[in-house]
Structures are given as structure tokens and as C-alpha cells.
Amino acid sequence: MQHDLEVSGGIHPLLAERFSPHKFDPSATVDDRSLGLLLEAARWAPSAGNSQPWGFFTGRPGERDHERLVRHLAPSSARWATDAGLLVVTLAHRYVEDTELLYSEFADYDLGQAVAHLTVQAQVMGLAAHQFRAFDMAGLTEELSPSPGWAIVSMIALGRAADEPPVSRERRSIAELRSGPWTLSD
Ligand SMILES: Cc1cc2nc3c(=O)[nH]c(=O)nc-3n(C[C@H](O)[C@H](O)[C@H](O)COP(=O)(O)O)c2cc1C
């Protein structure tokens, strides 16, 4: 794949070439070793106080857990996520068991970092990731019955991309990132 420095601003190709595919190659499987490496990458993410407030439920085509996940996909994500070699449900440890006390103020933030690690590791391995919210949250929560204090946050489809990144991809400018609504007048 072409690494376009104009578009990427010179960032590392692993980051520049990452995109969320809308088509996966159904013949590309994710073996145990690859699955282990993806989770290992997530495991080594930083977290507030090293709280590691993340959990991952996985299913691959042919596994019973995959069927349990596929049935809760929204029609929009089912179109491409079903063909992915791996589905992952991400969970955050938000509260101390059976209390309203926060387990970590940064639970969702840290989970996001762990997922970022995982997606970059996937890219290294020639796999692509498409994170998504298009699933039945209530149905999936009932299905998986997370431990008290834990909440499902998102899903990720991973596999070999079978499409190309869109020709035009929009991002806010660096100037805009640096001059948000928090900027007070001089
Ligand atoms: C938390 C989260 C939820 C998302 N939910 C969906 C979704 O429900 N459906 C979808 O097609 N893409 C979803 N995406 C993918 C984004 O739309 C995508 O990352 C964004 O458009 C930028 O495209 P790119 O990843 O190809 O750069 C989600 C991404 C994240 C991080």
C-alpha cells in the first residue's frame, strides 16, 4: 500500500496506513498465536495507577462464542464484521464490585489506549481492525453477563482487509486541535 507523506504528515506508516475496513477476507483466519499477540499488545498498555481496567471477550468463526456475538450485531456492522477472522468485545472495569465507587476514573480512557495498542499490533501483523458500536448493547450485555462493576464498551472486527481505504479521509487540522473551546482570550 502506498504511504502518502502528503496525507499522513510523515507519521509512521503503521499509523498512516491504518484504516477501518468495510470488507474482510472471510478466508483469512486469526490463529491462536496471532490472537495471543493482539491481547499481549493490549496487556502492555499504560493505565492510571497500573489499574489495567480492561477486558476482552473474543470469538472466531466456527467457535460457539462467535455465534453468541454475531447474533447481536446491528445490520450495518453485520455486513462486514461477520466475515472478520476475529470479533472482540471490549469491557471496562468502571466500578468497584456492587458499589457506586469508581474503580478508576480513567477506565474507559485506559481501555481505549489498550485497544490502540491492539490495533497497531494488528497492523504490524498485516491485520486490520474496525472498531464499532453498531451492536445491540442490551442484548450483548445479557448474553455475556459481565461481572459487577464491568461494562461492555465497544466491539472490534479484526482480519485481513478486503477493501482499500477511502480515497478521501477527513481529519480536523492540527491548528484546530490546538485552539479548541478551552482557549481563553489573550
Ligand atoms: C468507539 C468507536 C466506535 C465506532 N463505531 C462504529 C460503528 O458503529 N460503525 C462503523 O461503521 N464504524 C464505527 N467506528 C469506526 C469509525 O467510524 C472510524 O474509525 C472513523 O470513521 C475513521 O475512519 P478510519 O478508522 O478508517 O480512519 C467506530 C470507531 C470507534 C473508535
Side-chain angles (χ1 to χ4, degrees), residues 136-174:
D136 174 6
M137 177 68 88
L140 188 60
T141 301
E142 199 178 325
E143 177 83 44
L144 301 185
S145 177
S147 302
W150 287 80
I152 294 171
V153 175
S154 65
M155 288 184 71
I156 318 170
L158 290 125
R160 192 188 303 143
D163 62 355
E164 295 289 324
V167 177
S168 159
R169 298 172 78 204
E170 298 288 325
R171 285 299 193 269
R172 291 163 59 214
S173 69
I174 290 175

Side-chain angles (χ1 to χ4, degrees), residues 35-147:
L35 175 54
L37 285 172
L38 293 170
L39 297 179
E40 187 70 8
R43 201 163 83 86
W44 285 100
S47 60
N50 201 19
S51 52
Q52 305 170 59
W54 44 62
F56 303 96
F57 182 90
T58 66
R60 292 172 289 185
E63 295 176 347
R64 183 176 163 268
D65 285 340
H66 189 258
E67 287 168 31
R68 294 175 71 195
L69 301 183
V70 162
R71 69 173 79 116
H72 299 290
L73 297 177
S76 63
S77 59
R79 277 197 287 276
W80 39 267
T82 312
D83 282 340
L86 171 67
L87 288 176
V88 179
V89 179
T90 78
L91 298 104
H93 192 179
R94 288 182 180 152
Y95 296 98
V96 175
E97 186 175 347
D98 294 326
T99 75
E100 290 181 5
L101 294 173
L102 281 179
Y103 171 75
S104 168
E105 183 188 351
F106 296 101
D108 288 54
Y109 179 97
D110 291 343
L111 170 64
Q113 292 207 76
V115 172
H117 272 217
L118 186 152
T119 60
V120 173
Q121 179 65 35
Q123 193 75 12
V124 171
M125 292 157 51
L127 299 172
H130 192 149
Q131 302 178 50
F132 62 100
R133 168 59 186 90
F135 59 87
D136 174 6
M137 177 68 88
L140 188 60
T141 301
E142 199 178 325
E143 177 83 44
L144 301 185
S145 177
S147 302

